[in-house]
Amino acid sequence: MNFTLLVTGPPYGTQNASTAFLFSKAVLNSKNKLLSIFFHFDGVLNANIDISYCSDEYNLIEQWINLHHKHSVQLNVCVSAASRRGLCFDNNIHNGYLKKNNDLWLSFNLTGFSELVKYIEKSDRIIKF
């Protein structure tokens, strides 16, 4: 069975993202296939390069990146939701201040809903966290 996950929670403060991560590992350890993980709403914060963890805390963002590298799972970030949360400006000037370009980890792709639709068409199940 092919899965696509929709993650709407941040990497901290709620269980949405951590539950999605645990579910993704379970899918990959089974005979099923994980096609894509799409981050929307506050879920886009899972790709934020400026979030830091203490050394004794579980680093969920690092785990997403490891998942991508180990299993080639696509980590797609909604560009609209990211820009609404102050991420992914293209070196433009906004309100007199220069915004930076490197707000997301390289393992995450900025995409739109058309990319989500593409994966939904290929999936047997889409699960929202």
Side-chain angles (χ1 to χ4, degrees), residues 7-12 39-51 77-89 99-100 103-104 113:
V7 180
T8 60
Y12 56 87
F39 297 90
H40 193 260
F41 299 118
D42 284 344
V44 300
L45 297 173
N46 286 275
N48 188 347
I49 201 166
D50 292 327
I51 293 177
V77 176
C78 177
V79 66
S80 297
S83 63
R84 280 188 215 106
R85 284 155 181 84
L87 303 175
C88 70
F89 285 93
K99 293 292 189 177
K100 60 185 175 180
D103 291 324
L104 305 178
F113 274 114

Side-chain angles (χ1 to χ4, degrees), residues 77-113:
V77 176
C78 177
V79 66
S80 297
S83 63
R84 280 188 215 106
R85 284 155 181 84
L87 303 175
C88 70
F89 285 93
D90 292 325
N91 285 335
N92 59 359
I93 296 178
H94 180 71
N95 292 337
Y97 297 99
L98 182 66
K99 293 292 189 177
K100 60 185 175 180
N101 188 14
N102 301 325
D103 291 324
L104 305 178
W105 288 100
L106 293 176
S107 300
F108 293 84
N109 304 312
L110 279 175
T111 61
F113 274 114

Side-chain angles (χ1 to χ4, degrees), residues 2-129:
N2 295 325
F3 287 89
T4 293
L5 304 185
L6 178 62
V7 180
T8 60
Y12 56 87
T14 70
Q15 292 295 312
N16 299 49
S18 58
T19 303
F21 176 74
L22 293 173
F23 184 83
S24 67
K25 284 180 58 176
V27 168
L28 292 168
N29 289 329
S30 68
K31 294 182 181 181
N32 299 305
K33 187 171 182 185
L34 182 56
L35 300 178
S36 171
I37 301 172
F38 191 85
F39 297 90
H40 193 260
F41 299 118
D42 284 344
V44 300
L45 297 173
N46 286 275
N48 188 347
I49 201 166
D50 292 327
I51 293 177
S52 61
Y53 288 86
C54 294
S55 61
D56 62 342
E57 291 179 343
Y58 185 75
N59 189 334
L60 183 58
I61 296 172
E62 183 178 87
Q63 296 304 312
W64 286 123
I65 293 168
N66 291 340
L67 185 82
H68 167 73
H69 289 295
K70 186 175 181 182
H71 298 284
S72 299
V73 174
Q74 292 297 310
L75 303 175
N76 296 309
V77 176
C78 177
V79 66
S80 297
S83 63
R84 280 188 215 106
R85 284 155 181 84
L87 303 175
C88 70
F89 285 93
D90 292 325
N91 285 335
N92 59 359
I93 296 178
H94 180 71
N95 292 337
Y97 297 99
L98 182 66
K99 293 292 189 177
K100 60 185 175 180
N101 188 14
N102 301 325
D103 291 324
L104 305 178
W105 288 100
L106 293 176
S107 300
F108 293 84
N109 304 312
L110 279 175
T111 61
F113 274 114
S114 61
E115 193 74 11
L116 176 61
V117 170
K118 179 179 95 173
Y119 283 106
I120 289 173
E121 289 176 341
K122 296 178 184 178
S123 297
D124 299 305
R125 300 280 186 273
I126 179 168
I127 300 178
K128 177 185 172 279
F129 293 91

